[in-house]
Amino acid sequence: MASKVVNDFSIIVGTVNGSGSSTANNTILRALFKMGIPVSGKNLFPSNIQGLPTWYTIRVSKDGFTARRDEQEIVVAMNPASFARDLASVVPGGAFFYADDIKQPVTRTDIAVYPMPVKQIVKSDPNIPSDYRDLVGNMVYVGVLAQMLGIDINTIQAALNFHFKGKQKPIAMNFNTVKAAAEWAKANLEKKDPFYVEPMNKTEGMIMADGNTAAAIGSIFGGIQFAAWYPITPASSLAESLNEYLPELRKREDGKHTYAVVQAEDELAAIGMAIGAGWSGLRSMTSTSGPGLSLMTEFAGLAYYTEIPIVVWDVQRIGPSTGLPTRTSQGDLTFVNFMGHGDTQQIILLPGNVNECFEFGWRAFDVAEHMQTPVFVLSDLDMGMNQWMSKPFEYPKTPMDRGKIIWEKDLEELKGNWGRYLDKDGDGIPYRTVPGNKSPLSAYFTRGTGHDEYAKYSEEAPVWHRNMERLKKKYETAKQYVPKPVLHSLKGATVGIIGFGSTEAAILEAQHQLAAEHNIKADFLRVRAVPFTKEVEAFIKQYDEVFIVEMDRDGQLNQLLTIEYPEYAMRLKSVAFGDGMPASAKWVREGILAKHGTVKPSAAKKAAKTAAAAKPRKEAKPKKVAAKTKPAGKTSKGKK
Amino acid sequence: MATTLPMAGTTAQINLAGLAKNDYRGAPTTLCQGCGHNSIANQIISALFEMNVVPENVVKFSGIGCSSKSPTYFLNRSFGFNGLHGRMPSVATGALFGDQFLKGIGVSGDGDSASIGMGQFKHIVRRNVNMVYIIENNGVYGLTKGQFSATAEVGLQLKKQGTNQYMPVDICMEALASNATFVARSFAGNPKQVKELLKAALSHNGLAVLDIVSPCVTFNNQTSAYHSYTWGKDHEEPLHDITYVAPRNEIILEEEMKAGEVREVTMHDGSVVILKNLDKDYDPTSRFEALRVMEEAERNNWLVTGLLYVDTDKPSLTEMYDLVDTPLNRLGDADLRPTPDMIDKVNALMF
């Protein structure tokens, strides 16, 4: 047997969708977390209620790398339908656990094989009602893995206690099965693989959460007052979390409510309601995914032009219509950037982890109300629905920024010298009143038609032009208010990497591998907002090569950067790939290696110099970057 | 609050809110001369003036179309939102959460509500948003120069469009099917009835659908057409005379209270609508009767006008949410942001 491998491997469990394995999988994840070992858990599930194969993957990493890996050392097969595929997916030297009622040949000799008498163990406990046997049966692999890997049985009990919210009956039933399975394994299985877990102290002070829950709670700490939504995977749990946490976190002595959550008839109505509420002065939001966003487009343009603050959470998935509704993506970026009728520029926030989902939950309202415009927060399925380790949520350090909103007293002081779209402060942001203001001077008419500084109807060409120029100025102002990027630097770096969102874990791991195995030292800048702040340009300037890593086909972040910084376009190299799976360090690394050195540094510098000299923005019109972008690592990003 | 005083030399009337009729007016109309919509805008002004409504307590909404332009022609002192085609209901639904003490007045058309906005129309009805929902119904798209709408009758002929072959949508029927709590129909050529129905609608707590046949003088006014003035005048069949009596105006109430002749409907705000039946003892609290009368009218080619249905027992949308007594849009950090100690409780739940 090979030497011991401790706290550094991946587990994947193949089950039947709807068989109730999520309790078992979360129990393993939480138990490992409780042991102080860095972990992450990802549900790779089909669009189906019951019956289709589904997988849950757990990454155990002493070094704190939490991205999905393409290889699995430990495979648990509970589903006859995916048995052969699961067996084939074990890396040589790995371990294969399977329910022994699956009568299929185990043909491999290069791995350790452990049959588990799932049905027998469950049947032997008279306290388990027969209709619960399949459900509790999943606990058998928890117990067997605990015994064979060395998971502390007390942490499993703690995890079950948390999961069942202290309810003794289900805790006892499940825990007894775990214990029985562990005892069976101890008596009957001989350890033939090298994988072990041992307690560490690397999760101390950390929490475990999914991005949708974090976003909902963040929104509540941001003082959310109105949400309208329509069910869509993978965004539904965000709105459902609002309903779960609002009653407790915003409880009042008089029992009355300071908020409303409305399930709308469709996404058009959801954003329409949110815009109505934002217009009337509420902290208002909606949450959706790609197909829902498509429906919201007309309203998004109207809200931009009428300058109404709303927050739209887009938990990205892949494709149109149903597409791959349970798979992750970052493919909405350029769509949202221009979302509307033409000549729109939307503000986008890009949280990169669960902690930032919480933070941007409240901050998005501040930006929206300050800027009086929609703010889109782009999360994705991987971040939104999977469990991530995270720093604890932090209470907002600044009071709520309600922006330039004026009431009766202010209007009195202004003596009528107020226009809804008047740029009094020179920052493009006008002052606004909201319905319910009792001053006879407060009202104005909101319209998609052309309007002047006093919100009066106008089709005059100069009036339209002036207004659009002010909106552009406002967008410039936004650069001061959106979150700045986060820099992960490496001493002696010669190239740059730019990414955003949930790929952070994979890029950080790839950054480490590139330095350790390929002697390529890279600084990594994680962009957190569009418009880009000045730090982004300063970063690009430093390197001859900057790799733009993202989970889509066309390299959309690369496109936006090229438009914004045409003089540096030659340095930007798109490493884009989208197949619905969460990013792995392997495809980031191989994607970068495939593009590394494809342009001679001197040529890039020369091109930039020429472009800069020729008054860049005019000359260097953004070209279709997508066309020359080859999907990176097509073979490297292996699917199971 | 500043009140508008009558100018010297005029005899402008001041209502109980201390306002003159001028305080209820809007910008000059840009619709065609003789358009039924203008007459409706005038009746909105009169109804609100006579009901002593403070304009700041009203919010106007509209979608897109000729009808939807009209909110600029009344209530300059009220906030207004001219949204997207067919999407007025969702904007209004959200906006009225901002201050639940405001009353909405929405003006839409048959294209806006019965075609592109049919879904939102039916859903705002079932949610019972506290708002008067006027549909200025002319069976035609005016602003895009005369295409058929979904309320156009079969066989209607329009220049350029030919003959309409599809069955029409009946807005009142759709409203009733969606569990509306107030459904009325009128005719723009009968301003007195329009005004009285508007007053009843404004007093209703919840969504009041007011389908007003409002002929298009430019594109759909052939004498044979359902939505024309001539057809309307000839075929109008009022259900009853309707008089709105404000709570303070007790004298008229005394006079009208004659046993056997009147049917009272108490509005949620305590005001009373008295229904005087001309032809039959019509009961507007019966949904069954309303559907029967509409079916009968359909068979006889009548235009039934009046208050078809009202239910005063259902809560409005914001009431269902049991909101705090302060308008939501006046709440600040203290009411909206959980206290710092809550963050530890939340973190303890994240495992």
Side-chain angles (χ1 to χ4, degrees), chain B residues 192-245:
Chain B
K192 186 168 170 269
Q193 188 194 39
V194 168
K195 187 168 78 180
E196 296 310 324
L197 285 172
L198 271 168
K199 287 182 174 180
L202 284 160
S203 305
H204 181 64
N205 179 54
L207 193 96
V209 175
L210 204 43
D211 177 23
I212 307 177
V213 174
S214 174
C216 177
V217 292
T218 307
F219 296 109
N220 183 10
N221 198 23
Q222 297 169 33
T223 49
S224 62
Y226 175 76
H227 298 92
S228 75
Y229 271 113
T230 327
W231 194 95
K233 282 277 187 209
D234 290 350
H235 291 75
E236 196 185 351
E237 179 102 341
L239 282 176
H240 35 248
D241 275 349
I242 178 170
T243 308
Y244 171 75
V245 183

Side-chain angles (χ1 to χ4, degrees), chain B residues 34-267:
Chain B
C35 176
H37 300 0
N38 289 329
S39 141
I40 296 166
N42 287 333
Q43 295 319 311
I44 293 172
I45 292 168
S46 293
L48 289 162
F49 171 72
E50 289 171 23
M51 289 176 78
N52 307 304
V53 173
V54 175
E56 283 74 28
N57 293 336
V58 173
V59 192
K60 306 176 288 181
F61 300 99
S62 63
I64 298 295
C66 290
S67 60
S68 298
K69 292 174 77 152
S70 65
T72 45
Y73 313 145
F74 59 87
L75 289 182
N76 255 350
R77 280 175 45 176
S78 300
F79 278 83
F81 196 131
N82 177 213
L84 296 179
H85 200 13
R87 317 294 174 222
M88 170 184 94
S90 60
V91 172
T93 301
L96 290 170
F97 272 101
D99 182 338
Q100 74 267 34
F101 306 106
L102 302 178
K103 184 80 181 179
I105 297 181
V107 183
S108 177
D110 40 315
D112 200 53
S113 282
S115 285
I116 189 169
M118 180 67 108
Q120 295 215 345
F121 169 65
K122 290 177 79 84
H123 282 277
I124 196 173
V125 165
R126 67 180 266 267
R127 289 196 177 95
N128 208 26
V129 172
N130 190 16
M131 164 169 148
V132 179
Y133 193 122
I134 299 163
I135 295 113
E136 298 179 339
N137 188 353
N138 57 13
V140 73
Y141 285 77
L143 214 49
T144 51
K145 306 215 188 299
Q147 295 83 17
F148 294 118
S149 94
T151 63
E153 64 268 28
V154 175
L156 177 69
Q157 294 192 336
L158 287 176
K159 218 168 133 184
K160 286 191 185 171
Q161 308 299 321
T163 307
N164 178 39
Q165 305 189 51
Y166 309 131
M167 293 298 286
V169 163
D170 184 317
I171 284 167
C172 291
M173 202 74 112
E174 296 297 337
L176 269 180
S178 306
N179 291 306
T181 56
F182 184 114
V183 182
R185 175 175 282 151
S186 191
F187 173 57
N190 186 355
K192 186 168 170 269
Q193 188 194 39
V194 168
K195 187 168 78 180
E196 296 310 324
L197 285 172
L198 271 168
K199 287 182 174 180
L202 284 160
S203 305
H204 181 64
N205 179 54
L207 193 96
V209 175
L210 204 43
D211 177 23
I212 307 177
V213 174
S214 174
C216 177
V217 292
T218 307
F219 296 109
N220 183 10
N221 198 23
Q222 297 169 33
T223 49
S224 62
Y226 175 76
H227 298 92
S228 75
Y229 271 113
T230 327
W231 194 95
K233 282 277 187 209
D234 290 350
H235 291 75
E236 196 185 351
E237 179 102 341
L239 282 176
H240 35 248
D241 275 349
I242 178 170
T243 308
Y244 171 75
V245 183
R248 284 176 204 158
N249 201 347
E250 287 169 342
I251 302 158
I252 298 170
L253 186 68
E254 290 291 321
E255 282 177 3
E256 295 290 327
M257 292 277 279
K258 284 178 190 163
E261 280 189 59
V262 288
R263 176 97 7 124
E264 292 185 6
V265 180
T266 308
M267 294 289 151

Side-chain angles (χ1 to χ4, degrees), chain A residues 119-197:
Chain A
K119 295 221 155 114
Q120 226 174 298
I121 290 172
V122 176
K123 248 189 200 166
S124 66
D125 185 344
N127 294 321
I128 301 172
S130 57
D131 52 341
Y132 275 85
R133 277 179 195 157
D134 282 351
L135 203 63
V136 178
N138 291 311
M139 285 297 151
V140 170
Y141 68 74
V142 179
V144 172
L145 284 179
Q147 173 60 33
M148 301 304 283
L149 298 176
I151 302 172
D152 180 356
I153 203 99
N154 293 321
T155 63
I156 289 177
Q157 193 172 19
L160 286 170
N161 195 43
F162 177 84
H163 183 87
F164 291 108
K165 299 189 166 84
K167 281 182 221 125
Q168 283 314 307
K169 210 176 159 188
I171 295 170
M173 191 162 72
N174 283 284
F175 190 55
N176 286 340
T177 306
V178 172
K179 277 194 295 189
E183 276 157 26
W184 176 89
K186 190 176 181 184
N188 296 286
L189 295 180
E190 186 197 336
K191 179 85 174 171
K192 288 179 286 187
D193 66 81
F195 304 104
Y196 291 90
V197 294

Side-chain angles (χ1 to χ4, degrees), chain A residues 352-398:
Chain A
N353 50 56
V354 164
N355 193 272
E356 283 181 2
C357 284
F358 173 85
E359 185 194 331
F360 291 3
W362 60 265
R363 196 180 287 284
F365 287 123
D366 284 356
V367 177
E369 289 198 319
H370 190 96
M371 299 309 306
Q372 296 181 24
T373 197
V375 167
F376 293 82
V377 192
L378 266 58
S379 170
D380 63 28
L381 183 141
D382 185 23
M383 189 155 39
M385 290 185 73
N386 286 323
Q387 293 288 113
W388 298 76
M389 284 197 318
S390 166
K391 286 187 294 181
F393 303 147
E394 280 172 57
Y395 195 74
K397 286 193 178 70
T398 47

Side-chain angles (χ1 to χ4, degrees), chain A residues 251-578:
Chain A
K251 196 189 275 176
R252 292 168 58 93
E253 277 179 13
D254 60 9
K256 290 186 179 290
H257 301 108
T258 55
Y259 58 84
V261 180
V262 179
Q263 186 184 322
E265 60 268 31
D266 54 34
E267 285 91 348
L268 286 88
I271 193 170
M273 290 179 194
I275 286 170
W279 175 70
S280 71
L282 301 188
R283 301 210 126 184
S284 171
M285 69 175 274
T286 182
S287 46
T288 189
S289 192
L293 271 188
S294 303
L295 286 174
M296 293 179 177
T297 307
E298 190 184 13
F299 258 130
L302 182 76
Y304 166 79
Y305 182 66
T306 52
E307 302 179 60
I308 294 169
I310 51 158
V311 172
V312 181
W313 275 81
D314 171 23
V315 187
Q316 295 168 97
R317 70 188 214 190
I318 195 165
S321 174
T322 34
L324 295 177
T326 60
R327 311 294 172 178
T328 201
S329 170
Q330 294 184 321
D332 292 340
L333 186 67
T334 48
F335 171 51
V336 172
N337 185 68
F338 302 110
M339 193 172 159
H341 48 272
D343 268 355
T344 56
Q345 290 171 305
Q346 305 288 7
I347 293 178
I348 305 172
L349 304 190
L350 301 165
N353 50 56
V354 164
N355 193 272
E356 283 181 2
C357 284
F358 173 85
E359 185 194 331
F360 291 3
W362 60 265
R363 196 180 287 284
F365 287 123
D366 284 356
V367 177
E369 289 198 319
H370 190 96
M371 299 309 306
Q372 296 181 24
T373 197
V375 167
F376 293 82
V377 192
L378 266 58
S379 170
D380 63 28
L381 183 141
D382 185 23
M383 189 155 39
M385 290 185 73
N386 286 323
Q387 293 288 113
W388 298 76
M389 284 197 318
S390 166
K391 286 187 294 181
F393 303 147
E394 280 172 57
Y395 195 74
K397 286 193 178 70
T398 47
M400 285 163 35
D401 179 354
R402 305 306 300 263
K404 299 180 190 176
I405 187 162
I406 51 175
W407 288 95
E408 291 87 346
K409 215 171 66 136
D410 309 301
L411 284 163
E412 215 171 283
E413 283 165 16
L414 286 166
K415 296 193 178 77
N417 182 20
W418 167 74
R420 170 64 184 98
Y421 300 110
L422 202 60
D423 184 11
K424 236 182 147 181
D425 304 332
D427 56 5
I429 310 170
Y431 287 78
R432 68 176 183 135
T433 54
V434 297
N437 189 321
K438 302 301 179 201
S439 166
L441 304 169
S442 65
Y444 70 99
F445 198 77
T446 298
R447 55 192 346 143
T449 40
H451 46 250
D452 66 13
E453 284 78 357
Y454 296 89
K456 295 274 178 279
Y457 177 67
S458 172
E459 291 191 26
E460 297 295 321
V463 171
W464 179 269
H465 182 255
R466 206 160 63 221
N467 195 35
M468 292 305 284
E469 290 302 306
R470 180 182 57 77
L471 285 171
K472 206 168 177 60
K473 189 201 282 176
K474 190 167 92 160
Y475 187 73
E476 283 299 311
T477 301
K479 293 177 180 175
Q480 300 163 37
Y481 289 94
V482 296
K484 295 183 192 321
V486 170
L487 177 68
H488 297 281
S489 58
L490 209 60
K491 211 177 163 195
T494 53
V495 298
I497 301 172
I498 295 179
F500 71 99
S502 71
T503 54
E504 182 182 45
I507 297 176
L508 282 173
E509 192 176 352
Q511 182 189 29
H512 173 82
Q513 292 173 353
L514 285 168
E517 297 161 27
H518 303 275
N519 201 28
I520 299 172
K521 287 187 180 137
D523 283 339
F524 165 34
L525 189 79
R526 183 165 58 79
V527 170
R528 300 200 297 169
V530 184
F532 304 120
T533 57
K534 59 181 191 308
E535 292 81 6
V536 179
E537 183 177 8
F539 181 83
I540 295 172
K541 265 187 188 170
Q542 293 176 54
Y543 315 97
D544 294 327
E545 279 188 322
V546 181
F547 302 97
I548 316 301
V549 177
E550 52 194 307
M551 289 191 295
D552 55 50
R553 188 191 65 181
D554 294 340
Q556 299 182 14
L557 179 63
N558 186 48
Q559 291 176 26
L560 294 184
L561 288 166
T562 304
I563 292 170
E564 185 66 21
Y565 310 115
E567 59 272 43
Y568 302 119
M570 294 295 283
R571 308 176 179 206
L572 307 180
K573 295 182 182 174
S574 180
V575 178
F577 185 74

